[in-house]
Amino acid sequence: MIRKELRQRMRERRGWLLPSLYLVVLGAVVTFAYFLTTTERGATGIQGSTVGVVLFLTLAYSQLALLLMLVPIFSAGSITIEKEQRTLASLLTSLLTSGQIWWGKFVSSLLFVLLLLVTSLPVLSMAFAFGGIGPWEVFSATLTTIIILACMSAIGLYCSSAFQRSVHATAVSYATVVAISVVTAIAFFVRLTMYESAHRQATVGHSWYDIPLSIRAPMYVNPFFFLTASFAPPKQLYPAWSTCACVFITLGALAIVLTLRNLRRRAEV
Amino acid sequence: MIDVEQMSKSFDGTRALDGFTLHVGTGELFGLVGPNGAGKTTLMKVLSTLLPMDSGTAQIDGLNVNGQAREIKRRIGYLPDQPGVYQDMSVREFLEFFADAFQLTGARQRAAVERALERSSLTDRSRNSVEQLSFGMKQRLVLAKTLLHDPKVLLLDEPATGLDPLARIELREQLKQLQAEGITMLISSHILSDLEDICTQIALIGSGRNATDAEGRSVLQLRAPQAPVRIYEIDVLGDSAPAVAVVNSTAGARTLETSAGRLVVEIAGADEQVAALLRTLVVGGVNILRFDHRTLGLEERYRMVFREGRP
């Protein structure tokens, strides 16, 4: 199943077009960040490690944003395409189990996104050249990005199993990406502002944990906050990272259960 | 080989199958006919384990369809009403993928794929993209894919839809060949002439139930000898209305069709009833030009069952 999926993906035009575009955009963003940093601070007074950190952070956030935009393309159409080309009935009446079908689709869509992650390594090496970034930062940021992408792939596959048409599944997947990335951030900042103006206390903002949990809660499903948590020193933000990881893994697991249920129902085949 | 008892299946309150019963013997080529929405595709999907039934029982080769789905899948080959293909694969890749899906590996897989290529007459095109095949070739490929794991039972849902006449003839020949190899087949189709040519028996389905003909049969025997169907064509001189009145007033007889100077009459019972009707018509003053027994084709029998709304 995985071999078939990967073979089909690599034969599509987007198999080479998307990685190319991805690298071009990522390269452009990092180059822009480099010139912005060096121009602002002046060519003489700048520390190499500062440039390295700026480039690394720019790369990590840009990469996450781009991959979040690409995940629905690979996952949300994965099962609906079988429905559209009427091959799902043949798969379900073969000896492949629903779990094997899901696993094949999941691994192939995730592997393709991971391929993009790997192709960005040369761009990442630019940040290394300036220093200021250690292996731990790279590891934690990469691990966090992979958890987020795996969860979003699982959600995309759920959408794919729930809808008949790829266009609908992809639209709902994108809506989910926007909801967790943008809507949660807006909800957080609006409620924080309201809370601060109501209390007018200096304590708010000193520490993440001084903010009431009811206000913080939406940010635990925000992928950019999750990534931010991975950069913080372990003692300071480690609990937040763990909470985010639990939330994303739970969301992903829920999506898996619902997808398998949809595949086993089979009524829409 | 296929035993269905009182099968029911509903979708959102609509009964697609309503106590349908069917028995298909080993090695039979069994047809299933009925109008659109009669429940044929639902029956096929339940038998192929794609849908669970609400009530009733269904067994294939002695295995319960609901409870032993995996074993059932080893024994059946299911061809959906609109089978799909992976356009971007080559013919061989397509067959190899499904051979993998049926857990055929190594030498068994190679042998199964070669046999499938021969069966579908696509050996020369094995490296071609599936996209390049004609509709008929794709249908042959999908049928060959369905046979990869040597199923004992084939469930074919409208296999001839969209095929040109030559491809239909080839399909009929292929199905006859498969029957000769001992494979049991259940075929639903709207192309009655095809079914008439290849099937041994045909089950009638309407509104999810067993439909019956005028003689109360829900399964029509096509190959085995059967009781004569007592349909007569009567040509009369002049107006046919008096003849219609006589026929309809005779016990066991009724008019099926009337046109200028011609009646099609159904007579229930033995030869005595036919003779009695003829005598009554003559005594009643009807000038008979022709009184002829007619053997009904499947198409006509189908029309009689379903046009008259007799589920």
Side-chain angles (χ1 to χ4, degrees):
Chain A
M1 192 72 199
I2 296 171
R3 195 172 48 198
K4 170 230 160 202
E5 288 292 316
L6 286 176
R7 183 187 280 159
Q8 284 184 300
R9 280 184 201 283
M10 295 312 287
R11 281 180 184 171
E12 292 171 354
R13 192 188 299 170
R14 65 185 178 185
W16 57 267
L17 194 63
L18 283 177
S20 309
L21 279 175
Y22 170 79
L23 283 176
V24 167
V25 173
L26 212 57
V29 168
V30 171
T31 310
F32 179 71
Y34 172 77
F35 282 111
L36 206 65
T37 313
T38 51
T39 310
E40 264 186 9
R41 304 198 179 194
T44 50
I46 193 156
Q47 294 277 327
S49 60
T50 309
V51 177
V53 170
V54 168
L55 289 187
F56 175 71
L57 292 178
T58 306
L59 178 76
Y61 286 109
S62 315
Q63 187 168 254
L64 180 61
L66 282 172
L67 292 176
L68 280 174
M69 284 194 277
L70 292 174
V71 163
I73 295 175
F74 297 117
S75 59
S78 218
I79 298 172
T80 45
I81 189 76
E82 301 282 356
K83 295 176 191 173
E84 286 167 350
Q85 63 191 11
R86 297 183 183 282
T87 44
L88 188 57
S90 294
L91 290 182
L92 291 173
T93 51
S94 74
L95 293 179
L96 291 171
T97 61
S98 306
Q100 285 173 319
I101 295 171
W102 178 85
W103 179 246
K105 301 280 181 190
F106 176 74
V107 169
S108 62
S109 61
L110 191 60
L111 274 181
F112 204 87
V113 183
L114 293 184
L115 171 74
L116 298 182
L117 209 61
V118 171
T119 56
S120 67
L121 283 176
V123 186
L124 188 70
S125 66
M126 286 168 63
F128 275 123
F130 288 97
I133 295 296
W136 170 252
E137 282 79 11
V138 175
F139 171 75
S140 62
T142 307
L143 177 67
T144 306
T145 307
I146 289 172
I147 293 173
I148 294 166
L149 295 178
C151 171
M152 296 317 296
S153 289
I155 291 173
L157 280 175
Y158 164 69
C159 295
S160 197
S161 71
F163 292 93
Q164 292 293 315
R165 303 283 305 275
S166 295
V167 63
H168 297 149
T170 309
V172 174
S173 283
Y174 274 118
T176 311
V177 169
V178 170
I180 66 165
S181 308
V182 181
V183 177
T184 52
I186 292 172
F188 169 73
F189 285 115
V190 167
R191 293 199 64 198
L192 183 66
T193 310
M194 287 165 66
Y195 179 80
E196 281 178 335
S197 55
H199 291 78
R200 295 179 188 282
Q201 288 172 0
T203 52
V204 176
H206 279 185
S207 164
W208 170 252
Y209 297 104
D210 292 335
I211 303 168
L213 180 63
S214 60
I215 295 175
R216 276 186 283 140
M219 290 306 276
Y220 289 117
V221 280
N222 187 297
F224 294 96
F225 174 74
F226 188 12
L227 185 64
T228 306
S230 75
F231 299 137
K235 282 182 184 170
Q236 195 183 336
L237 267 177
Y238 184 69
W241 187 90
S242 304
T243 310
C244 285
C246 287
V247 168
F248 273 86
I249 290 169
T250 307
L251 277 176
L254 187 67
I256 294 167
V257 170
L258 293 174
T259 309
L260 291 179
R261 192 198 64 169
N262 284 345
L263 280 174
R264 284 182 187 131
R265 274 184 175 175
R266 300 166 178 186
E268 73 279 8
V269 175
Chain B
M1 183 60 89
I2 303 174
D3 295 293
V4 176
E5 285 288 347
Q6 294 295 314
M7 184 189 284
S8 294
K9 175 71 189 172
S10 298
F11 296 104
D12 302 323
T14 305
R15 288 215 146 193
L17 288 172
D18 189 6
F20 186 74
T21 295
L22 177 76
H23 298 284
V24 181
T26 304
E28 277 199 82
L29 216 166
F30 207 103
L32 182 67
V33 299
N36 288 331
K40 301 185 296 294
T41 296
T42 304
L43 174 68
M44 291 291 191
K45 285 184 176 178
V46 172
L47 289 176
S48 61
T49 75
L50 282 172
L51 283 176
M53 69 186 106
D54 296 339
S55 62
T57 60
Q59 290 192 329
I60 293 178
D61 199 20
L63 297 166
N64 194 312
V65 169
N66 261 7
Q68 293 167 288
R70 197 163 173 80
E71 284 309 306
I72 291 282
K73 286 180 193 175
R74 288 184 196 278
R75 285 164 170 77
I76 63 161
Y78 171 58
L79 188 71
D81 54 346
Q82 291 171 303
V85 287
Y86 296 114
Q87 304 276 9
D88 48 2
M89 282 185 178
S90 74
V91 170
R92 183 177 289 278
E93 284 169 352
F94 180 79
L95 292 170
E96 282 172 349
F97 168 67
F98 278 101
D100 261 340
F102 277 103
Q103 297 178 344
L104 300 172
T105 52
R108 279 183 70 204
Q109 183 184 103
R110 283 192 293 277
V113 169
E114 289 308 325
R115 189 150 177 243
L117 286 169
E118 278 170 32
R119 265 184 168 147
S120 54
S121 308
L122 291 171
T123 307
D124 295 342
R125 294 175 184 263
S126 65
R127 287 175 187 277
N128 286 28
S129 156
V130 172
E131 195 175 14
Q132 295 170 334
L133 302 181
S134 68
F135 185 83
M137 287 176 188
K138 282 179 189 165
Q139 194 77 344
R140 288 207 309 262
L141 175 65
V142 176
L143 182 60
K145 179 271 292 178
T146 309
L147 293 164
L148 272 170
H149 59 298
D150 288 328
K152 287 183 175 180
V153 176
L154 274 185
L155 303 169
L156 309 173
D157 195 359
E158 303 284 354
T161 303
L163 295 181
D164 63 39
L166 204 59
R168 272 173 48 201
I169 292 168
E170 285 174 4
L171 177 67
R172 287 204 304 259
E173 293 309 314
Q174 199 175 358
L175 295 182
K176 284 178 186 172
Q177 175 61 36
L178 291 171
Q179 191 195 16
E181 291 173 22
I183 296 176
T184 306
M185 279 173 274
L186 178 63
I187 307 172
S188 92
S189 178
H190 286 304
I191 306 174
L192 301 178
S193 56
D194 284 356
L195 292 182
E196 197 166 22
D197 180 42
I198 58 174
C199 289
T200 46
Q201 297 186 79
I202 287 183
L204 305 168
I205 182 171
S207 307
R209 296 188 289 271
N210 292 91
T212 54
D213 67 5
E215 291 159 22
R217 292 175 303 202
S218 62
V219 175
L220 308 178
Q221 304 284 335
L222 296 182
R223 295 285 169 268
Q226 56 182 305
V229 180
R230 303 211 164 259
I231 302 290
Y232 281 79
E233 280 182 357
I234 306 171
D235 288 355
V236 296
L237 187 64
D239 188 14
S240 58
V244 172
V246 170
V247 168
N248 290 341
S249 63
T250 304
R254 68 184 183 120
T255 310
L256 296 177
E257 287 176 30
T258 313
S259 55
R262 174 169 292 186
L263 294 78
V264 177
V265 174
E266 181 186 84
I267 307 169
D271 290 344
E272 286 73 20
Q273 267 71 33
V274 180
L277 176 65
L278 180 57
R279 193 168 53 244
T280 312
L281 283 167
V282 173
V283 170
V286 177
N287 294 315
I288 296 172
L289 298 174
R290 189 171 69 94
F291 190 97
D292 213 0
H293 176 248
R294 193 170 79 179
T295 307
L296 286 181
L298 179 60
E299 203 169 295
E300 200 153 0
R301 291 157 87 177
Y302 178 92
R303 198 173 47 175
M304 285 167 60
V305 172
F306 292 106
R307 196 164 68 176
E308 294 172 16
R310 192 190 296 151

